[in-house]
Every structure is written in C-alpha cells, then in structure tokens.
Amino acid sequence: MSEPRRRMRSAAVTLGLTALMAASLTGCSSEEPKDYAAICVNPETEERVRDDECVDDREYHGSGSGFFWFYMATRGSALVPPVGGRYAARDGTYTVSTLRNSQGRPVSVQRGGLDTKGGDIGTISRGGFGKSSKGGSGG
Amino acid sequence: MWRHLIKARDGWKDRVIEQGLVFPMTDLPDGSETPYWNESAWYEVSMDEVLHLERVTEELYGMCRHAAEVMATGDRFSDTQLGLASGTLPLVRESLRREDPSVYARFDLAWNGPEPKMLEINGDTPTGLVESAVIQWNWLEDVFPDSDQWNSVHDRLVKWWSEQRFPGNEAHFFNSASETTGEEEMTVAYMRDTAAMAGLQTYGHVIEELGWNSATREFVDMGGRVVRTAFKLYPWEDMLDEEFGSFILGGIEKAPVTWIEPVWKTMLSTKAILPVLWELYPDHPNLLPAYFGHPGELTEWVAKPLHGREGSNIRIHTDEGEHVQDGPYDTENCVYQQWYPLPSFEGNRAVIGSWVVDGVAAGMMVRESDGPITDYYARFVPHAIAMEARPSEETIQAWLAE
C-alpha cells in the first residue's frame, strides 16, 4: 500500500461564534405570525376606510351600518385596496370567529396597519417553518 | 479497534462547554444525568482500520448517490409511500439534475466482523459534528499531543465553503428553536464559523423566524434581508410539509434559495434508501439485507420508521425477543433491516459514525450505548490512531490538495 492517506487537520481550531454561542446560549422568543390581517371597510359602499374608523371588532353579518373589520388572509398574495378604494369580497371575510387554522385552532389576526396606499398585501409572514419539528432534527 | 480506560482531564466539563459542546451531560428520565461526552475512555484504531473505513465510506457514499437517482427517477416510489409532501420527488429530480451542492453526511457503521456494515446514512441533518470536528480534536491535543486522529472534518468544511460561489458571498444559517439542549444551535453555529473562516458573510437565527415576503416572493431573514443561500438543520421532509414548503414546491419563489443540504438529500435521510441499496447492490459486503414494508426472509430484524431519528420508534425482533423504542415518528411505513449486533467493548456497544465532506471520507466518531440501540442516551467517546506520529506540515498540505 502506498503512503497512508490519513489527513490530519492542519490548523488549530479557533472558533469565534461557536465559543460565543456556547458562552451565551439563550432561547429565542418568536412572535407568532398572523393568519389574517384586517382592513376597515364600510360594507354598504364596499369601500376601505381608515383603520381608526373601526372602533371595535363587531362582526358584520350582512346587515347593519357602520364600519367593520374585513379580514384578509395574509398567506398568499391578496391585494389590499387603498383607503377610499373598493375591496374585493372574495379575498376575505367579516366573520373571523368561525375560521379555524389547519390545526383546528382559532386563527390569529392583525387588525389594521396595512399600507393605506394599497397594493399587494405584502406582509412578511413568519413561522412557516418549524411547526412539525419533533424536538430534534439531528440524527 | 480497542477500548482503553483513561483518566478524564481535570475540569473536562467546563472545557468542552467552552469549546462548544454545551450539552456534555444527557438528562435521564429519572432526573439524574449521564455523560454524553465520555472521556473516561478512548478508542484506539489502527491506520489500516482507518484506511479501510475511508474506502468503505467513499464507496458507500457513491452507492447512496446512485440510489438517490434510482429512487427519485423510477416509478418505484411515490411521494406518499415515502411519507413526503406531494411534489417532493420531482423537486428531488431537478435538484439531482442541477447537481445542487451538498456539504456533508454521516454513516452509522457497525464493525463486528471482517467488514463494516452500513446501518444507515444521515444525509440531510447529521449531528455530532461539533464533538467530532472540534471537541475530540482538542482532546487529542491535550491528551495525546503526539498522536494522530482520523479527523479532517474541520479543514474540509472550511475548504468546501471556500470553493463555492454563492451570490453576494454570503449565507444564512438556520437552526430549529424546538431543540432545547443547544445541540442543533451549536452545530449550526459551528457550520457558520467554518463558512466565516472561508470568507463568507454569515447571518443566522432560528428557522421559525424565517420570513416570507408575499409581495416580492422572497424568503427574508429577521432583518428583512433576502435569503439566497441557506444552511439549515431542519429536515426537508418537515420543511416541505409546512406552509412555507408549499412556496418551494409550487416554484413561486422569485429566485429559489440555494439550500444546504439540497433537497435531493431527502433521499439520503430516509430509511427507504436501505432496501434500494440492497436491491441495487445485492450481497454487497458493507450492506445489510433490507426490505420495504416486510421482513422478507429475515428472522432477526430491526424495523425502522422512514424518518426516524436518534433511534426513536425502532423495533428489534430477535430470537431472544422483541424490543420497542418509544418515539414520536410515524411507524406506518417501515423498513426492515437485518439485525446486526454492535460490537461490545466490556458491555459498551460501539457504533462508528463516519463523516463525508464534499463526497470524501473525512473522519470518525464513536458513540457507545449500554443497550442494543444507539439512542439519545448514547455516549460520545474520542478516538486516536495507534502509534502514528503526526505527519509533517508538507504531508498535510499534500493530503488536503489530493
């Protein structure tokens, strides 16, 4: 057999981040992503109004006057109308309380805070990875 | 291979924690703890044994790469049969065709006879990396400074990163927040260090914080920075089954993230590869007979769930009886592999972890258990090569360049 093929490490291992992490290993808290974001609308005119017109989270059931939160799924790429623009009813719902997410739990919502100029709903959602972990990925 | 007792270094626990092994002890169900890092013993291997393991490792890896193609391209398997999200196999085919870069893998080998036998391959999310590449090397420096170790894992990782051309010369690093011992976080931190040593800009956080910008159809990090290249310690079969996985499966990313490991490694992290290998290479001296869904002619066998890890949900059926290991994994689809006992060193059952970096055999780790399954409670024991003087600096450089 020819010369041994053993290959040794040539350099000392000095690891900045590894040592740093070891010294200060802490858990991270993560903010739950929201399933739905809501705009405030006037159902009679089908028009988006400013968030602060929606004073409570009463639900609209096809009648009644006032302004109501209209919930749009943040997953995917729904279009959000600008304030003063018409909303697309197919992209959302007024009755969030009946919605369940894929785990069968009530959905989480973020009321208001969407771009007043409209456009792609464009929210950054988080938490789309990591749900099915069995508490250890290694092997 | 020989097992020797030795006095542990004074203050070993603090020392290995400082070096990155933040989980030197394993919690036992009764509330006590047992060393995970066990330096009260060491394994001696001969140079001939190392050379043999290297050869076997590289041959097995080539066979696994071939098996991945067979699994993904034939009509032998469907996504459902493999417990994968619908559309995974076409993605794997694309990934293989593109030859997506892959950095590492680890074989588990049982060497209890003339030839080592492949128990499995961890091709997607192997762990044990920090203790293999760093901790046992530092142990050797302290305890046997004139001896050698089969361990070029660190050098090869740095070399691999330095040879890649990633956009922006940067990479993201994601670990899962659900693993709380720090093992995965440290593994990813170490990987990130090797990339940084190769000159890359690195960013990292838990994968749960990874963002999706629906307007630009891009994955973004916590700070909103677009993710282009990402190392993850999170299994593909879970990723693709989750909400963000549908964006990858649906091909709706503006420009796909280069994931490390790549999606084709899904084929190297399912036990389904074991029967495929046995079919492709029947009676290969380094393989054990294995069958999908039934034990075949085997009278003594181990049933392994397709996506099990750490020995969880394994069922051993021998002439002596049945042994079942608890766990969280789906046991509906199992692979049946011939039962092959691990060698016992005074009651310590040793399994060899053999590392592959960039397709090349790169080093080993030994874990030992009291029972027949190398499980969560296994102990990592360092090794050294018997009676080998260290090679000269020129020899090392020549080996690395090979």
Side-chain angles (χ1 to χ4, degrees):
Chain A
M1 190 171 285
S2 60
E3 182 183 354
R5 287 173 62 230
R6 245 283 311 130
R7 307 168 189 95
M8 195 184 68
R9 167 162 51 238
S10 56
V13 192
T14 48
L15 298 162
L17 188 70
T18 308
L20 191 69
M21 298 292 286
S24 65
L25 196 63
T26 53
C28 293
S29 67
S30 80
E31 195 193 332
E32 279 296 303
K34 302 292 188 253
D35 299 309
Y36 282 78
I39 54 172
C40 187
V41 302
N42 177 350
E44 290 184 343
T45 61
E46 299 190 337
E47 193 181 295
R48 181 179 174 191
V49 298
R50 292 201 333 269
D51 288 341
D52 54 14
E53 302 283 356
C54 280
V55 290
D56 57 32
D57 46 359
R58 276 181 307 148
E59 291 192 346
Y60 177 71
H61 295 285
S63 63
S65 62
F67 303 106
F68 297 86
W69 288 114
F70 181 76
Y71 299 91
M72 314 180 81
T74 60
R75 317 293 165 94
S77 57
L79 290 174
V80 56
V83 170
R86 300 277 290 276
Y87 69 92
R90 66 183 147 74
D91 288 338
T93 173
Y94 285 105
T95 51
V96 70
S97 57
T98 60
L99 291 176
R100 293 287 180 275
N101 67 13
S102 54
Q103 282 89 44
R105 287 192 286 272
V107 295
S108 55
V109 295
Q110 170 202 335
R111 292 192 185 88
L114 298 183
D115 192 340
T116 55
K117 292 190 287 297
D120 195 303
I121 207 164
T123 45
I124 290 176
S125 50
R126 297 192 191 275
F129 283 134
K131 289 285 190 287
S132 52
S133 177
K134 314 251 180 339
S137 310
Chain B
M1 215 159 101
W2 302 264
R3 186 181 195 268
H4 304 287
L5 294 173
I6 191 172
K7 186 176 174 298
R9 291 168 295 175
D10 289 337
W12 64 269
K13 203 188 287 185
D14 290 340
R15 201 178 304 210
V16 300
I17 289 174
E18 257 169 48
Q19 292 167 358
L21 195 76
V22 299
F23 46 97
M25 308 297 286
T26 302
D27 293 329
L28 295 175
D30 67 3
S32 65
E33 53 177 24
T34 185
Y36 165 67
W37 172 260
N38 176 20
E39 61 170 76
S40 64
W42 65 284
Y43 282 87
E44 176 187 348
V45 285
S46 71
M47 181 56 87
D48 283 346
E49 287 173 324
V50 169
L51 293 174
H52 191 65
L53 286 168
E54 275 193 332
R55 191 190 59 70
V56 167
T57 299
E58 289 176 12
E59 184 179 348
L60 285 174
Y61 192 71
M63 289 156 59
C64 287
R65 181 70 170 65
H66 175 208
E69 307 239 359
V70 170
M71 290 165 77
T73 51
D75 51 8
R76 164 76 187 277
F77 289 114
S78 67
D79 291 317
T80 316
Q81 273 177 307
L82 292 176
L84 300 171
S86 174
T88 302
L89 286 175
L91 214 60
V92 167
R93 282 197 286 276
E94 272 303 286
S95 175
L96 283 165
R97 191 188 54 75
R98 285 191 305 260
E99 301 193 338
D100 285 347
S102 148
V103 58
Y104 72 162
R106 197 196 74 231
F107 285 99
D108 283 343
L109 305 173
W111 204 353
N112 197 10
E115 285 293 336
K117 302 287 186 184
M118 171 180 166
L119 298 176
E120 59 183 61
I121 180 169
N122 297 281
D124 185 20
T125 59
T127 51
L129 189 67
V130 175
E131 44 281 43
S132 284
V134 181
I135 311 299
Q136 71 170 348
W137 178 259
N138 287 334
W139 169 87
L140 187 80
E141 296 264 40
D142 284 348
V143 178
F144 296 121
D146 296 323
S147 287
D148 206 351
Q149 191 174 73
W150 180 25
N151 192 353
S152 59
V153 175
H154 178 79
D155 298 73
R156 290 187 187 282
L157 290 174
V158 176
K159 185 161 174 274
W160 184 83
W161 287 110
S162 70
E163 288 167 355
Q164 309 302 310
R165 289 290 166 267
F166 295 125
N169 197 34
E170 65 178 44
H172 280 80
F173 293 80
F174 301 114
N175 63 286
S176 160
S178 64
E179 197 277 338
T180 52
T181 67
E183 177 180 19
E184 292 182 14
E185 194 166 355
M186 292 312 302
T187 305
V188 174
Y190 170 63
M191 259 303 183
R192 189 174 162 186
D193 256 338
T194 61
M197 290 172 94
L200 275 75
Q201 287 295 322
T202 65
Y203 308 88
H205 50 74
V206 296
I207 199 163
E208 286 82 350
E209 295 282 6
L210 182 64
W212 169 258
N213 185 329
S214 61
T216 58
R217 293 177 291 116
E218 287 168 320
F219 286 108
V220 292
D221 69 10
M222 271 172 89
R225 188 180 188 86
V226 176
V227 175
R228 295 193 278 182
T229 300
F231 175 89
K232 48 87 194 165
L233 197 66
Y234 193 68
W236 269 112
E237 73 265 13
D238 287 344
M239 276 175 75
L240 292 177
D241 211 29
E242 297 179 357
E243 186 199 339
F244 284 1
S246 65
F247 304 150
I248 299 174
L249 283 165
I252 64 170
E253 290 169 273
K254 192 164 75 183
V257 172
T258 298
W259 291 100
I260 302 158
E261 293 295 306
V263 70
W264 69 263
K265 281 299 201 73
T266 313
M267 300 293 103
L268 270 56
S269 75
T270 167
K271 305 297 186 287
I273 197 172
L274 299 172
V276 174
L277 283 168
W278 187 246
E279 258 170 55
L280 293 172
Y281 303 95
D283 301 318
H284 189 283
N286 303 116
L287 295 178
L288 293 168
Y291 305 96
F292 193 77
H294 62 84
E297 86 280 6
L298 304 173
T299 55
E300 296 191 298
W301 42 260
V302 184
K304 301 178 171 183
L306 288 186
H307 296 126
R309 284 176 164 78
E310 308 269 16
S312 293
N313 298 99
I314 275 182
R315 193 152 57 98
I316 300 182
H317 178 89
T318 67
D319 296 343
E320 268 90 73
E322 188 108 347
H323 178 99
V324 181
Q325 194 88 344
D326 283 345
Y329 296 100
D330 181 11
T331 52
E332 203 171 305
N333 284 325
C334 273
V335 162
Y336 291 78
Q337 186 185 46
Q338 185 181 78
W339 162 242
Y340 190 82
L342 294 169
S344 172
F345 296 84
E346 298 98 40
N348 301 285
R349 321 277 182 99
V351 66
I352 295 170
S354 178
W355 287 98
V356 173
V357 175
D358 197 14
V360 176
M364 74 181 258
M365 63 186 225
V366 182
R367 282 168 303 155
E368 56 183 29
S369 312
D370 300 323
I373 300 174
T374 306
D375 59 13
Y376 176 74
Y377 303 110
R379 301 174 290 274
F380 190 110
V381 184
H383 80 275
I385 299 174
M387 311 301 278
E388 283 294 328
R390 289 195 177 196
S392 69
E393 184 61 27
E394 297 81 65
T395 314
I396 292 164
Q397 291 308 321
W399 283 337
L400 278 173
E402 233 173 58

